[in-house]
Amino acid sequence: VGGGNTDLTLTDVFKTKKIDGQNKTFLFCDKNVMATDEFMDAIHGREQIHASYQIGLFDAGYRINKKLFVSFSINNKMESSISIPKEFFQFFFVGMENGEKFDFRLDKMSIAATIYTEYAGGISAKIDENLSLGAKAKFLVGNANMSSNLRNLHLTASEDEWQVSGSGNIRITTPT
């Protein structure tokens, strides 16, 4: 399992505060900390968040003789990402003040994910005591793919009315 993002660190998301003489850890938006401004300052432009995993379903190797080794593996993998503009976080954590309208371009957001199975086979040969050479071939089979395409999509929100305009689509593909 792996993941990450472009701007935020754990200290931006989790804050430590001394309460009753003990250090306690809170989310930045907890009422005991309220470090929303610090969180917002840590985001520059768009926040890219990505996640991935790999599950080994089968992995085996066999030594043919003293010099040749073959291997086979089957892995299930997923790679995903989401791009969220800073305005989204401002709208969510700060909100609208004094009845003002909030104008947000949703087309800056994107989502992508791919899930696939990898079949691999490899062979290696021992040339001498210090050198081995090998090659691996992989065959990838797609299980699912999702991506978004938003065009001129705007959200205008006020206390009593929300308007969304523009166009976009989310494409999901799977084998039949």
Side-chain angles (χ1 to χ4, degrees), residues 13-73:
V13 178
F14 298 101
K15 300 292 181 182
T16 302
K17 185 175 181 181
K18 202 168 260 202
I19 295 180
D20 298 329
Q22 294 182 357
N23 283 334
K24 296 195 176 189
T25 303
F26 299 94
L27 278 173
F28 70 94
C29 56
D30 189 282
K31 65 181 178 178
N32 293 303
V33 179
M34 289 310 294
T36 307
D37 290 341
E38 293 173 30
F39 177 82
M40 293 305 301
D41 288 343
I43 299 173
H44 305 97
R46 271 196 247 187
E47 181 64 21
Q48 302 276 346
I49 301 168
H50 58 90
S52 63
Y53 76 78
Q54 174 177 325
I55 299 173
L57 303 174
F58 176 79
D59 199 355
Y62 181 74
R63 183 161 306 283
I64 295 173
N65 57 38
K66 288 183 179 183
K67 293 189 175 199
L68 288 177
F69 182 79
V70 294
S71 62
F72 305 96
S73 64

Short mmCIF file of all heavy atoms in Angstrom, two decimals, residues 13-73:
data_model
loop_
_atom_site.label_atom_id
_atom_site.label_comp_id
_atom_site.label_asym_id
_atom_site.label_seq_id
_atom_site.Cartn_x
_atom_site.Cartn_y
_atom_site.Cartn_z
N VAL A 13 -1.86 18.20 9.16
CA VAL A 13 -3.16 17.56 9.38
C VAL A 13 -3.39 17.27 10.87
O VAL A 13 -4.49 17.46 11.37
CB VAL A 13 -3.26 16.26 8.55
CG1 VAL A 13 -4.58 15.56 8.81
CG2 VAL A 13 -3.10 16.57 7.07
N PHE A 14 -2.35 16.82 11.57
CA PHE A 14 -2.47 16.48 12.98
C PHE A 14 -1.71 17.50 13.82
O PHE A 14 -0.53 17.77 13.56
CB PHE A 14 -1.94 15.07 13.27
CG PHE A 14 -2.70 14.00 12.55
CD1 PHE A 14 -2.19 13.43 11.39
CD2 PHE A 14 -3.93 13.57 13.01
CE1 PHE A 14 -2.89 12.44 10.72
CE2 PHE A 14 -4.64 12.59 12.35
CZ PHE A 14 -4.12 12.03 11.20
N LYS A 15 -2.36 18.05 14.83
CA LYS A 15 -1.76 19.05 15.70
C LYS A 15 -1.70 18.52 17.12
O LYS A 15 -2.60 17.81 17.57
CB LYS A 15 -2.57 20.35 15.67
CG LYS A 15 -2.66 20.99 14.31
CD LYS A 15 -1.31 21.51 13.87
CE LYS A 15 -1.38 22.17 12.52
NZ LYS A 15 -0.09 22.64 12.07
N THR A 16 -0.64 18.88 17.83
CA THR A 16 -0.47 18.47 19.22
C THR A 16 -0.73 19.68 20.12
O THR A 16 -0.25 20.77 19.85
CB THR A 16 0.96 17.94 19.46
OG1 THR A 16 1.17 16.85 18.57
CG2 THR A 16 1.13 17.46 20.88
N LYS A 17 -1.50 19.46 21.17
CA LYS A 17 -1.82 20.52 22.12
C LYS A 17 -1.78 19.93 23.53
O LYS A 17 -2.19 18.81 23.74
CB LYS A 17 -3.21 21.10 21.82
CG LYS A 17 -3.56 22.28 22.67
CD LYS A 17 -4.89 22.88 22.26
CE LYS A 17 -5.20 24.08 23.13
NZ LYS A 17 -6.47 24.67 22.79
N LYS A 18 -1.28 20.73 24.46
CA LYS A 18 -1.20 20.29 25.85
C LYS A 18 -2.54 20.57 26.52
O LYS A 18 -3.02 21.70 26.56
CB LYS A 18 -0.08 21.04 26.56
CG LYS A 18 0.43 20.32 27.79
CD LYS A 18 1.70 20.95 28.28
CE LYS A 18 2.81 20.07 27.78
NZ LYS A 18 4.03 20.17 28.50
N ILE A 19 -3.17 19.51 27.01
CA ILE A 19 -4.44 19.62 27.73
C ILE A 19 -4.29 18.85 29.03
O ILE A 19 -3.90 17.68 29.03
CB ILE A 19 -5.61 19.05 26.89
CG1 ILE A 19 -5.80 19.91 25.64
CG2 ILE A 19 -6.89 19.01 27.71
CD1 ILE A 19 -6.92 19.44 24.74
N ASP A 20 -4.58 19.53 30.14
CA ASP A 20 -4.44 18.94 31.48
C ASP A 20 -3.04 18.37 31.69
O ASP A 20 -2.87 17.30 32.28
CB ASP A 20 -5.49 17.86 31.72
CG ASP A 20 -6.92 18.41 31.69
OD1 ASP A 20 -7.11 19.59 32.06
OD2 ASP A 20 -7.82 17.65 31.29
N GLY A 21 -2.02 19.07 31.18
CA GLY A 21 -0.64 18.67 31.38
C GLY A 21 -0.16 17.54 30.49
O GLY A 21 0.97 17.11 30.60
N GLN A 22 -1.03 17.05 29.58
CA GLN A 22 -0.65 15.96 28.69
C GLN A 22 -0.74 16.42 27.24
O GLN A 22 -1.68 17.14 26.87
CB GLN A 22 -1.56 14.76 28.89
CG GLN A 22 -1.44 14.09 30.24
CD GLN A 22 -2.35 12.87 30.33
OE1 GLN A 22 -3.09 12.56 29.40
NE2 GLN A 22 -2.30 12.17 31.45
N ASN A 23 0.22 15.99 26.43
CA ASN A 23 0.17 16.27 24.99
C ASN A 23 -0.87 15.36 24.35
O ASN A 23 -0.82 14.15 24.52
CB ASN A 23 1.53 16.05 24.34
CG ASN A 23 2.49 17.18 24.61
OD1 ASN A 23 2.07 18.31 24.87
ND2 ASN A 23 3.77 16.89 24.56
N LYS A 24 -1.79 15.96 23.62
CA LYS A 24 -2.81 15.20 22.91
C LYS A 24 -2.77 15.61 21.44
O LYS A 24 -2.47 16.75 21.13
CB LYS A 24 -4.19 15.45 23.50
CG LYS A 24 -4.29 14.96 24.93
CD LYS A 24 -5.71 14.88 25.38
CE LYS A 24 -5.74 14.28 26.79
NZ LYS A 24 -7.06 13.99 27.21
N THR A 25 -3.09 14.65 20.56
CA THR A 25 -3.06 14.90 19.12
C THR A 25 -4.48 15.01 18.60
O THR A 25 -5.35 14.19 18.92
CB THR A 25 -2.31 13.76 18.40
OG1 THR A 25 -1.00 13.67 18.95
CG2 THR A 25 -2.22 14.02 16.92
N PHE A 26 -4.71 16.05 17.77
CA PHE A 26 -6.03 16.33 17.21
C PHE A 26 -5.89 16.59 15.71
O PHE A 26 -4.83 16.96 15.24
CB PHE A 26 -6.64 17.58 17.84
CG PHE A 26 -6.85 17.49 19.32
CD1 PHE A 26 -5.90 17.97 20.20
CD2 PHE A 26 -8.01 16.95 19.84
CE1 PHE A 26 -6.09 17.91 21.57
CE2 PHE A 26 -8.21 16.88 21.20
CZ PHE A 26 -7.25 17.36 22.07
N LEU A 27 -7.00 16.43 14.98
CA LEU A 27 -7.04 16.90 13.60
C LEU A 27 -7.00 18.42 13.62
O LEU A 27 -7.48 19.06 14.55
CB LEU A 27 -8.33 16.44 12.91
CG LEU A 27 -8.35 15.03 12.37
CD1 LEU A 27 -9.74 14.67 11.87
CD2 LEU A 27 -7.35 14.87 11.24
N PHE A 28 -6.45 19.03 12.57
CA PHE A 28 -6.30 20.48 12.50
C PHE A 28 -7.62 21.22 12.67
O PHE A 28 -7.65 22.35 13.13
CB PHE A 28 -5.67 20.89 11.15
CG PHE A 28 -6.59 20.68 9.99
CD1 PHE A 28 -7.39 21.70 9.52
CD2 PHE A 28 -6.66 19.44 9.37
CE1 PHE A 28 -8.24 21.50 8.46
CE2 PHE A 28 -7.52 19.24 8.30
CZ PHE A 28 -8.31 20.27 7.84
N CYS A 29 -8.74 20.59 12.31
CA CYS A 29 -10.05 21.26 12.36
C CYS A 29 -10.81 20.95 13.65
O CYS A 29 -11.96 21.37 13.80
CB CYS A 29 -10.88 20.90 11.14
SG CYS A 29 -11.11 19.13 10.92
N ASP A 30 -10.18 20.25 14.59
CA ASP A 30 -10.84 19.95 15.86
C ASP A 30 -11.05 21.24 16.65
O ASP A 30 -10.24 22.16 16.61
CB ASP A 30 -9.96 18.98 16.67
CG ASP A 30 -10.67 18.45 17.90
OD1 ASP A 30 -10.74 19.20 18.90
OD2 ASP A 30 -11.15 17.30 17.87
N LYS A 31 -12.15 21.32 17.39
CA LYS A 31 -12.48 22.52 18.15
C LYS A 31 -11.41 22.86 19.19
O LYS A 31 -11.28 24.01 19.60
CB LYS A 31 -13.84 22.39 18.81
CG LYS A 31 -13.90 21.30 19.88
CD LYS A 31 -15.26 21.17 20.50
CE LYS A 31 -15.21 20.03 21.51
NZ LYS A 31 -16.44 19.84 22.20
N ASN A 32 -10.61 21.87 19.63
CA ASN A 32 -9.55 22.12 20.61
C ASN A 32 -8.32 22.78 19.98
O ASN A 32 -7.49 23.32 20.69
CB ASN A 32 -9.12 20.81 21.27
CG ASN A 32 -10.22 20.24 22.14
OD1 ASN A 32 -10.70 20.88 23.04
ND2 ASN A 32 -10.63 19.02 21.82
N VAL A 33 -8.19 22.70 18.66
CA VAL A 33 -7.00 23.23 18.00
C VAL A 33 -7.33 24.38 17.06
O VAL A 33 -6.72 25.44 17.11
CB VAL A 33 -6.28 22.11 17.21
CG1 VAL A 33 -5.07 22.64 16.49
CG2 VAL A 33 -5.91 20.96 18.11
N MET A 34 -8.28 24.16 16.17
CA MET A 34 -8.70 25.13 15.16
C MET A 34 -7.50 25.77 14.44
O MET A 34 -7.26 26.96 14.51
CB MET A 34 -9.60 26.21 15.75
CG MET A 34 -10.98 25.68 16.13
SD MET A 34 -11.82 24.74 14.81
CE MET A 34 -12.09 26.00 13.61
N ALA A 35 -6.75 24.92 13.73
CA ALA A 35 -5.60 25.38 12.95
C ALA A 35 -5.92 25.38 11.46
O ALA A 35 -5.09 25.04 10.63
CB ALA A 35 -4.40 24.49 13.25
N THR A 36 -7.14 25.78 11.12
CA THR A 36 -7.58 25.78 9.72
C THR A 36 -6.74 26.72 8.87
O THR A 36 -6.41 26.40 7.73
CB THR A 36 -9.07 26.16 9.63
OG1 THR A 36 -9.81 25.29 10.49
CG2 THR A 36 -9.59 26.00 8.22
N ASP A 37 -6.38 27.90 9.40
CA ASP A 37 -5.56 28.84 8.63
C ASP A 37 -4.19 28.25 8.29
O ASP A 37 -3.71 28.39 7.16
CB ASP A 37 -5.38 30.15 9.41
CG ASP A 37 -6.67 30.95 9.50
OD1 ASP A 37 -7.59 30.70 8.68
OD2 ASP A 37 -6.76 31.82 10.39
N GLU A 38 -3.57 27.56 9.24
CA GLU A 38 -2.28 26.92 8.98
C GLU A 38 -2.42 25.84 7.92
O GLU A 38 -1.57 25.68 7.05
CB GLU A 38 -1.71 26.31 10.26
CG GLU A 38 -1.32 27.33 11.31
CD GLU A 38 -0.92 26.66 12.62
OE1 GLU A 38 -0.41 25.52 12.59
OE2 GLU A 38 -1.14 27.28 13.67
N PHE A 39 -3.51 25.07 7.99
CA PHE A 39 -3.77 24.02 7.01
C PHE A 39 -3.92 24.64 5.62
O PHE A 39 -3.33 24.17 4.65
CB PHE A 39 -5.04 23.26 7.41
CG PHE A 39 -5.45 22.19 6.43
CD1 PHE A 39 -4.84 20.94 6.47
CD2 PHE A 39 -6.44 22.42 5.49
CE1 PHE A 39 -5.22 19.94 5.58
CE2 PHE A 39 -6.83 21.43 4.60
CZ PHE A 39 -6.22 20.19 4.65
N MET A 40 -4.69 25.70 5.52
CA MET A 40 -4.92 26.35 4.22
C MET A 40 -3.62 26.95 3.67
O MET A 40 -3.39 26.92 2.47
CB MET A 40 -5.99 27.44 4.35
CG MET A 40 -7.38 26.90 4.66
SD MET A 40 -7.98 25.66 3.49
CE MET A 40 -7.93 26.56 1.97
N ASP A 41 -2.77 27.49 4.54
CA ASP A 41 -1.50 28.06 4.09
C ASP A 41 -0.56 26.98 3.52
O ASP A 41 0.30 27.29 2.70
CB ASP A 41 -0.79 28.78 5.24
CG ASP A 41 -1.48 30.09 5.62
OD1 ASP A 41 -2.30 30.60 4.81
OD2 ASP A 41 -1.22 30.60 6.72
N ALA A 42 -0.73 25.75 3.96
CA ALA A 42 0.13 24.66 3.49
C ALA A 42 -0.23 24.20 2.08
O ALA A 42 0.59 23.58 1.40
CB ALA A 42 0.05 23.47 4.44
N ILE A 43 -1.43 24.51 1.61
CA ILE A 43 -1.87 24.08 0.28
C ILE A 43 -1.53 25.18 -0.73
O ILE A 43 -1.89 26.33 -0.55
CB ILE A 43 -3.39 23.80 0.25
CG1 ILE A 43 -3.72 22.68 1.23
CG2 ILE A 43 -3.84 23.43 -1.16
CD1 ILE A 43 -5.20 22.45 1.41
N HIS A 44 -0.83 24.79 -1.78
CA HIS A 44 -0.44 25.74 -2.83
C HIS A 44 -1.11 25.31 -4.13
O HIS A 44 -0.76 24.28 -4.69
CB HIS A 44 1.08 25.74 -3.03
CG HIS A 44 1.82 26.01 -1.76
ND1 HIS A 44 2.33 25.01 -0.98
CD2 HIS A 44 2.09 27.18 -1.12
CE1 HIS A 44 2.93 25.54 0.07
NE2 HIS A 44 2.79 26.85 0.02
N GLY A 45 -2.08 26.06 -4.61
CA GLY A 45 -2.73 25.73 -5.88
C GLY A 45 -3.62 24.52 -5.78
O GLY A 45 -4.66 24.54 -5.14
N ARG A 46 -3.20 23.44 -6.41
CA ARG A 46 -3.97 22.19 -6.42
C ARG A 46 -3.29 21.15 -5.55
O ARG A 46 -2.09 20.97 -5.60
CB ARG A 46 -4.04 21.63 -7.83
CG ARG A 46 -5.21 22.14 -8.60
CD ARG A 46 -5.41 21.27 -9.79
NE ARG A 46 -5.12 22.03 -10.98
CZ ARG A 46 -5.32 21.59 -12.19
NH1 ARG A 46 -5.77 20.39 -12.38
NH2 ARG A 46 -5.06 22.33 -13.21
N GLU A 47 -4.09 20.44 -4.79
CA GLU A 47 -3.59 19.35 -3.97
C GLU A 47 -3.78 18.05 -4.74
O GLU A 47 -4.90 17.69 -5.10
CB GLU A 47 -4.34 19.30 -2.64
CG GLU A 47 -3.88 18.23 -1.70
CD GLU A 47 -2.45 18.38 -1.24
OE1 GLU A 47 -1.89 19.50 -1.31
OE2 GLU A 47 -1.87 17.38 -0.82
N GLN A 48 -2.69 17.37 -5.05
CA GLN A 48 -2.74 16.08 -5.73
C GLN A 48 -2.59 14.99 -4.67
O GLN A 48 -1.60 14.97 -3.95
CB GLN A 48 -1.59 15.97 -6.73
CG GLN A 48 -1.55 17.04 -7.78
CD GLN A 48 -2.45 16.74 -8.95
OE1 GLN A 48 -2.91 15.62 -9.12
NE2 GLN A 48 -2.70 17.74 -9.75
N ILE A 49 -3.56 14.11 -4.60
CA ILE A 49 -3.52 13.00 -3.65
C ILE A 49 -3.50 11.71 -4.45
O ILE A 49 -4.31 11.53 -5.36
CB ILE A 49 -4.75 13.03 -2.71
CG1 ILE A 49 -4.80 14.35 -1.95
CG2 ILE A 49 -4.72 11.85 -1.75
CD1 ILE A 49 -6.10 14.60 -1.22
N HIS A 50 -2.55 10.83 -4.13
CA HIS A 50 -2.49 9.57 -4.87
C HIS A 50 -2.40 8.39 -3.90
O HIS A 50 -1.91 8.53 -2.78
CB HIS A 50 -1.30 9.56 -5.85
CG HIS A 50 0.03 9.77 -5.18
ND1 HIS A 50 0.80 8.74 -4.72
CD2 HIS A 50 0.72 10.89 -4.89
CE1 HIS A 50 1.90 9.20 -4.18
NE2 HIS A 50 1.88 10.53 -4.27
N ALA A 51 -2.92 7.28 -4.37
CA ALA A 51 -2.90 6.05 -3.57
C ALA A 51 -2.69 4.87 -4.52
O ALA A 51 -3.09 4.90 -5.68
CB ALA A 51 -4.21 5.88 -2.81
N SER A 52 -2.05 3.82 -3.98
CA SER A 52 -1.83 2.62 -4.78
C SER A 52 -1.73 1.41 -3.86
O SER A 52 -1.50 1.55 -2.66
CB SER A 52 -0.54 2.75 -5.61
OG SER A 52 0.58 2.88 -4.75
N TYR A 53 -1.94 0.26 -4.44
CA TYR A 53 -1.72 -0.99 -3.70
C TYR A 53 -1.26 -2.05 -4.67
O TYR A 53 -1.46 -1.95 -5.89
CB TYR A 53 -2.96 -1.44 -2.92
CG TYR A 53 -4.04 -2.07 -3.77
CD1 TYR A 53 -3.94 -3.39 -4.22
CD2 TYR A 53 -5.19 -1.37 -4.09
CE1 TYR A 53 -4.93 -3.97 -4.99
CE2 TYR A 53 -6.19 -1.94 -4.86
CZ TYR A 53 -6.04 -3.24 -5.31
OH TYR A 53 -7.02 -3.82 -6.07
N GLN A 54 -0.64 -3.07 -4.12
CA GLN A 54 -0.27 -4.25 -4.88
C GLN A 54 -0.49 -5.46 -3.98
O GLN A 54 -0.04 -5.48 -2.85
CB GLN A 54 1.19 -4.20 -5.30
CG GLN A 54 1.66 -5.49 -5.96
CD GLN A 54 3.10 -5.40 -6.45
OE1 GLN A 54 3.54 -4.37 -6.90
NE2 GLN A 54 3.81 -6.51 -6.36
N ILE A 55 -1.22 -6.43 -4.51
CA ILE A 55 -1.46 -7.67 -3.78
C ILE A 55 -0.86 -8.81 -4.59
O ILE A 55 -1.24 -9.03 -5.75
CB ILE A 55 -2.97 -7.93 -3.56
CG1 ILE A 55 -3.58 -6.80 -2.73
CG2 ILE A 55 -3.19 -9.28 -2.90
CD1 ILE A 55 -5.08 -6.88 -2.60
N GLY A 56 0.09 -9.49 -3.99
CA GLY A 56 0.70 -10.64 -4.65
C GLY A 56 -0.22 -11.84 -4.55
O GLY A 56 -0.45 -12.36 -3.46
N LEU A 57 -0.75 -12.29 -5.68
CA LEU A 57 -1.66 -13.44 -5.68
C LEU A 57 -0.91 -14.76 -5.83
O LEU A 57 -1.34 -15.79 -5.30
CB LEU A 57 -2.67 -13.29 -6.82
CG LEU A 57 -3.52 -12.01 -6.79
CD1 LEU A 57 -4.37 -11.91 -8.04
CD2 LEU A 57 -4.37 -11.97 -5.54
N PHE A 58 0.20 -14.71 -6.56
CA PHE A 58 0.99 -15.93 -6.78
C PHE A 58 2.42 -15.50 -7.10
O PHE A 58 2.63 -14.57 -7.88
CB PHE A 58 0.42 -16.74 -7.94
CG PHE A 58 1.23 -17.95 -8.29
CD1 PHE A 58 1.13 -19.11 -7.54
CD2 PHE A 58 2.10 -17.94 -9.38
CE1 PHE A 58 1.88 -20.23 -7.85
CE2 PHE A 58 2.85 -19.06 -9.70
CZ PHE A 58 2.74 -20.20 -8.93
N ASP A 59 3.39 -16.17 -6.52
CA ASP A 59 4.79 -15.85 -6.78
C ASP A 59 5.61 -17.12 -6.57
O ASP A 59 5.58 -17.71 -5.49
CB ASP A 59 5.26 -14.75 -5.83
CG ASP A 59 6.51 -14.03 -6.31
OD1 ASP A 59 7.07 -14.44 -7.35
OD2 ASP A 59 6.90 -13.06 -5.65
N ALA A 60 6.29 -17.57 -7.62
CA ALA A 60 7.08 -18.80 -7.51
C ALA A 60 8.31 -18.69 -8.39
O ALA A 60 8.32 -17.98 -9.39
CB ALA A 60 6.24 -20.01 -7.92
N GLY A 61 9.33 -19.42 -7.99
CA GLY A 61 10.55 -19.48 -8.78
C GLY A 61 11.10 -20.89 -8.76
O GLY A 61 10.84 -21.67 -7.83
N TYR A 62 11.87 -21.22 -9.79
CA TYR A 62 12.43 -22.56 -9.88
C TYR A 62 13.83 -22.48 -10.49
O TYR A 62 14.02 -21.83 -11.53
CB TYR A 62 11.53 -23.45 -10.75
CG TYR A 62 12.02 -24.86 -10.88
CD1 TYR A 62 11.91 -25.76 -9.83
CD2 TYR A 62 12.60 -25.30 -12.07
CE1 TYR A 62 12.37 -27.06 -9.96
CE2 TYR A 62 13.06 -26.60 -12.20
CZ TYR A 62 12.93 -27.46 -11.13
OH TYR A 62 13.39 -28.76 -11.25
N ARG A 63 14.79 -23.12 -9.83
CA ARG A 63 16.15 -23.17 -10.36
C ARG A 63 16.24 -24.39 -11.27
O ARG A 63 16.10 -25.53 -10.84
CB ARG A 63 17.17 -23.26 -9.22
CG ARG A 63 18.59 -23.26 -9.75
CD ARG A 63 19.63 -22.90 -8.72
NE ARG A 63 19.41 -21.65 -8.02
CZ ARG A 63 19.65 -20.42 -8.51
NH1 ARG A 63 20.07 -20.31 -9.76
NH2 ARG A 63 19.46 -19.36 -7.79
N ILE A 64 16.48 -24.13 -12.56
CA ILE A 64 16.57 -25.21 -13.55
C ILE A 64 17.88 -25.97 -13.39
O ILE A 64 17.91 -27.20 -13.42
CB ILE A 64 16.43 -24.64 -14.98
CG1 ILE A 64 15.02 -24.05 -15.14
CG2 ILE A 64 16.70 -25.68 -16.03
CD1 ILE A 64 14.78 -23.32 -16.43
N ASN A 65 18.96 -25.24 -13.26
CA ASN A 65 20.28 -25.83 -13.00
C ASN A 65 21.08 -24.80 -12.23
O ASN A 65 20.53 -23.82 -11.73
CB ASN A 65 20.97 -26.27 -14.31
CG ASN A 65 21.12 -25.13 -15.30
OD1 ASN A 65 21.40 -24.00 -14.91
ND2 ASN A 65 20.94 -25.43 -16.58
N LYS A 66 22.41 -24.99 -12.12
CA LYS A 66 23.23 -24.07 -11.33
C LYS A 66 23.24 -22.66 -11.89
O LYS A 66 23.50 -21.71 -11.17
CB LYS A 66 24.66 -24.59 -11.24
CG LYS A 66 24.83 -25.79 -10.37
CD LYS A 66 26.29 -26.18 -10.29
CE LYS A 66 26.46 -27.39 -9.39
NZ LYS A 66 27.86 -27.76 -9.23
N LYS A 67 22.93 -22.50 -13.18
CA LYS A 67 23.04 -21.19 -13.80
C LYS A 67 21.70 -20.54 -14.16
O LYS A 67 21.62 -19.34 -14.28
CB LYS A 67 23.90 -21.28 -15.06
CG LYS A 67 25.35 -21.59 -14.76
CD LYS A 67 26.18 -21.45 -15.99
CE LYS A 67 27.65 -21.66 -15.61
NZ LYS A 67 28.54 -21.12 -16.60
N LEU A 68 20.64 -21.31 -14.34
CA LEU A 68 19.37 -20.74 -14.80
C LEU A 68 18.30 -20.78 -13.71
O LEU A 68 18.13 -21.78 -13.03
CB LEU A 68 18.86 -21.51 -16.02
CG LEU A 68 19.60 -21.28 -17.33
CD1 LEU A 68 19.03 -22.17 -18.43
CD2 LEU A 68 19.55 -19.83 -17.76
N PHE A 69 17.57 -19.66 -13.62
CA PHE A 69 16.47 -19.54 -12.65
C PHE A 69 15.29 -18.90 -13.37
O PHE A 69 15.44 -17.91 -14.09
CB PHE A 69 16.91 -18.65 -11.47
CG PHE A 69 15.86 -18.50 -10.41
CD1 PHE A 69 15.64 -19.50 -9.48
CD2 PHE A 69 15.09 -17.35 -10.34
CE1 PHE A 69 14.68 -19.36 -8.50
CE2 PHE A 69 14.12 -17.20 -9.36
CZ PHE A 69 13.91 -18.21 -8.44
N VAL A 70 14.10 -19.46 -13.21
CA VAL A 70 12.88 -18.88 -13.80
C VAL A 70 11.92 -18.51 -12.68
O VAL A 70 11.91 -19.13 -11.61
CB VAL A 70 12.19 -19.85 -14.80
CG1 VAL A 70 13.06 -20.09 -16.02
CG2 VAL A 70 11.83 -21.16 -14.14
N SER A 71 11.12 -17.48 -12.94
CA SER A 71 10.14 -17.05 -11.94
C SER A 71 8.83 -16.70 -12.61
O SER A 71 8.80 -16.32 -13.78
CB SER A 71 10.68 -15.83 -11.16
OG SER A 71 10.89 -14.75 -12.03
N PHE A 72 7.74 -16.81 -11.84
CA PHE A 72 6.39 -16.50 -12.30
C PHE A 72 5.67 -15.76 -11.19
O PHE A 72 5.83 -16.09 -10.01
CB PHE A 72 5.61 -17.78 -12.65
CG PHE A 72 6.31 -18.66 -13.62
CD1 PHE A 72 7.09 -19.72 -13.19
CD2 PHE A 72 6.20 -18.43 -14.98
CE1 PHE A 72 7.75 -20.55 -14.08
CE2 PHE A 72 6.85 -19.24 -15.89
CZ PHE A 72 7.63 -20.30 -15.44
N SER A 73 4.86 -14.78 -11.55
CA SER A 73 4.08 -14.08 -10.53
C SER A 73 2.79 -13.54 -11.12
O SER A 73 2.70 -13.27 -12.32
CB SER A 73 4.89 -12.93 -9.90
OG SER A 73 5.18 -11.95 -10.87
#
